[in-house]
Amino acid sequence: MLILFVATVLISKASGFYSAGDHVEVLTPANFDSKVVNDDSVWIVEFYAPWCGHCKSLTPEWKKAAAALKGIVKVGALDADEHGSFAGRFGVQGFPTIKVFGGDKSKPTDYNSARSAQAIVSEALKQATSLAQSRLSGKSSGGSGSGSGGSKKTGKQEDVIELTDSIFNKEVLDSKDMWLVEFYAPWCGHCKKLAPEWASAATTLKGKVKLGAVDATQFGELAQRYGVRGYPTIKYFPAGAKLDAEDYSGGRTADDIVAFAEAKLEQFAEPPEIRELVNDAVFQEECATKSICVLTILPDILDTGAAGRNEYLDVLTEMGDKYKKRKFGWVWSFAGEQAGLEESLEMGGAGYPALVALNMKKSAVSHMRSGFTKEFINEFLGQVVAGRGAPHPIRKDIPKLRDATPWDGKDGELPVEEDWDLDDVELDDFEEPKTEL
């Protein structure tokens, strides 16, 4: 019973607010296009964040609406905190955001009515009726029609790498790159239909993920090695060491393929480096060119010791890993080391550590006012991402940072005081001046 309970909890957490029994389709970048964009049905989709209070309040109403709309309008939900870059594709800036995907899936509309089950159902039925009337009048066929999102493919066939058994190991297995490999047959109709989608995805992913193709009729032993029994078969080879291939589980449009690859990139991306502000160049690289720079001023090493400082840096590293898909800059210094920067950003007044989210492009800064814990930092950054981080203008120009000596990882040492030998002191030098009466 205990194992079953733990498994249930883990499954519940993995799917966010919703489970299969809620009639709410749990959406991810890997399945969004195949389920929503390329579907003829009307969809109403919630983009939410697990920490968002308004999202928690909406959840029971969303479930009621989904149950009422079952078989009429499809209802989905996507964790935009976990899949932020994908949610940005639809202009999601706050939580919850509700989008209606009607006849033209490339142009979803915002839902701005009340957040009650009744209002959601009414709007969904209105959208479904509108789509049906459009189809009846011949103005819209709905869905994607071609099954490819309705977009013209602009991929270059040369971006698909033709693989043979003589170069497969070197090109794929021995490389550090992520690969998607299609095993095809020249006579296969489904393979011919996939070809422009595969080329389009290859062009879009160029420089990030490599897409290859193997003629399985010509290189049968290679295809057999990976259990190819039908065409086309797509295999996923992760970045780094490649112990074995995995079956590709996404759709067969360019958008599906790209979404699958980008989701894998996010999942296995290296966490960002938490860089010490040892000079102005670091500041320019991490803060001036990034959308958001998370800047932390830690206490002096004499106040924390090496162990205490490393605990703070470990917290920042974990947060950097959690928000790695956001491409934030992450920098730190310690109290007084970059005094001009602290003064410009109004940091340190409430003590250390002090953390801010800095947007140099907008010349704005948001201060974290709570304790320096993973939970509070996660809540603060979640608010920043949602556009509710209470930013204010930077009131004073940020000076060029001074060159500083990098921390050596050791405990601090108190300054050595000069010893005084009283035998060397001439007491006459300290005689009080005489005052005549």
Side-chain angles (χ1 to χ4, degrees):
M1 290 294 291
L2 179 60
I3 294 175
L4 179 60
F5 172 76
V6 172
T8 302
V9 170
L10 290 175
I11 292 171
S12 176
K13 287 187 175 181
S15 59
F17 289 176
Y18 304 104
S19 60
D22 297 326
H23 307 295
V24 176
E25 186 74 37
V26 177
L27 300 168
T28 68
N31 68 14
F32 194 94
D33 285 336
S34 60
K35 286 184 175 292
V36 180
V37 176
N38 299 323
D39 186 23
D40 288 333
S41 304
V42 172
W43 278 79
I44 184 165
V45 178
E46 174 201 6
F47 296 84
Y48 70 93
W51 47 263
C52 163
H54 293 299
C55 303
K56 294 175 183 177
S57 299
L58 175 62
T59 300
E61 298 298 315
W62 199 247
K63 291 178 180 179
K64 289 179 187 176
L69 291 166
K70 183 181 179 182
I72 306 169
V73 172
K74 295 183 179 179
V75 179
L78 185 138
D79 185 343
D81 184 48
E82 182 178 355
H83 306 296
S85 59
F86 184 81
R89 166 180 164 187
F90 302 105
V92 174
Q93 297 181 334
F95 308 119
T97 291
I98 300 174
K99 298 275 186 179
V100 179
F101 293 79
D104 186 352
K105 294 297 199 296
S106 66
K107 296 179 181 179
T109 58
D110 291 324
Y111 171 84
N112 295 313
S113 298
R115 293 175 180 173
S116 66
Q118 181 63 53
I120 294 165
V121 168
S122 295
E123 179 63 22
L125 293 176
K126 177 182 174 182
Q127 293 287 340
T129 300
S130 175
L131 178 59
Q133 292 293 341
S134 295
R135 289 176 179 171
L136 189 62
S137 63
K139 294 179 180 179
S140 172
S141 61
S144 61
S146 65
S148 60
S151 60
K152 184 178 179 180
K153 300 307 166 191
T154 57
K156 298 178 181 178
Q157 190 60 42
E158 58 264 32
D159 291 331
V160 177
I161 302 170
E162 287 291 334
L163 298 167
T164 66
D165 56 4
S166 62
I167 66 171
F168 191 89
N169 287 1
K170 180 181 178 181
E171 290 289 329
V172 180
L173 301 184
D174 296 340
S175 77
K176 296 181 179 180
D177 299 307
M178 181 188 299
W179 278 81
L180 288 171
V181 178
E182 174 204 4
F183 292 84
Y184 71 94
W187 45 260
C188 162
H190 291 299
C191 303
K192 293 176 182 177
K193 186 177 179 180
L194 176 63
E197 308 289 336
W198 197 246
S200 179
T203 300
T204 301
L205 293 167
K206 189 174 182 179
K208 297 187 293 184
V209 178
K210 291 185 176 180
L211 270 68
V214 175
D215 183 344
T217 64
Q218 187 174 352
F219 304 105
E221 289 186 8
L222 182 59
Q224 188 176 7
R225 187 200 308 178
Y226 292 103
V228 175
R229 296 180 180 177
Y231 309 119
T233 292
I234 301 173
K235 295 288 184 176
Y236 157 68
F237 295 82
K242 296 170 177 59
L243 301 178
D244 199 3
E246 299 178 20
D247 289 330
Y248 168 79
S249 57
R252 291 185 180 178
T253 69
D255 289 339
D256 290 334
I257 297 160
V258 169
F260 176 90
E262 289 182 340
K264 290 293 185 182
L265 285 174
E266 283 187 4
Q267 181 180 354
F268 296 107
E270 290 293 326
E273 180 184 359
I274 314 299
R275 300 179 67 184
E276 184 179 1
L277 285 170
V278 294
N279 53 45
D280 195 65
V282 174
F283 181 78
Q284 296 300 323
E285 291 169 10
E286 296 297 325
C287 296
T289 62
K290 303 288 179 71
S291 60
I292 294 292
C293 172
V294 181
L295 190 154
T296 304
I297 303 296
L298 297 176
D300 190 278
I301 191 66
L302 294 177
D303 296 325
T304 63
R309 177 170 288 184
N310 280 323
E311 286 181 6
Y312 287 134
L313 293 175
D314 286 344
V315 170
L316 292 174
T317 299
E318 186 169 340
M319 288 296 99
D321 187 37
K322 178 175 177 61
Y323 285 88
K324 61 189 176 184
K325 60 178 177 281
R326 297 289 179 180
K327 309 297 181 185
F328 291 165
W330 294 80
V331 294
W332 71 276
S333 186
F334 60 89
E337 182 70 354
Q338 300 291 354
L341 177 65
E342 289 187 56
E343 182 180 355
S344 297
L345 299 180
E346 302 176 59
M347 299 179 71
Y352 302 97
L355 184 148
V356 299
L358 180 63
N359 187 327
M360 289 293 289
K361 293 180 180 178
K362 295 183 178 179
S363 192
V365 61
S366 298
H367 291 77
M368 187 179 77
R369 305 294 185 184
S370 47
F372 196 88
T373 66
K374 289 181 288 187
E375 292 73 21
F376 283 131
I377 296 173
N378 182 46
E379 181 179 359
F380 170 71
L381 292 178
Q383 292 172 345
V384 169
V385 169
R388 297 195 296 270
H392 63 78
I394 300 172
R395 298 183 177 92
K396 189 174 181 181
D397 290 343
I398 297 175
K400 182 178 180 180
L401 271 60
R402 62 183 291 272
D403 291 342
T405 302
W407 180 45
D408 60 6
K410 300 178 182 178
D411 288 320
E413 295 182 1
L414 290 169
V416 179
E417 297 184 358
E418 185 179 350
D419 292 330
W420 287 79
D421 188 342
L422 293 180
D423 292 337
D424 296 334
V425 178
E426 295 290 341
L427 296 180
D428 291 342
D429 295 339
F430 296 96
E431 288 186 359
E432 292 287 338
K434 295 180 180 179
T435 304
E436 294 183 3
L437 297 176

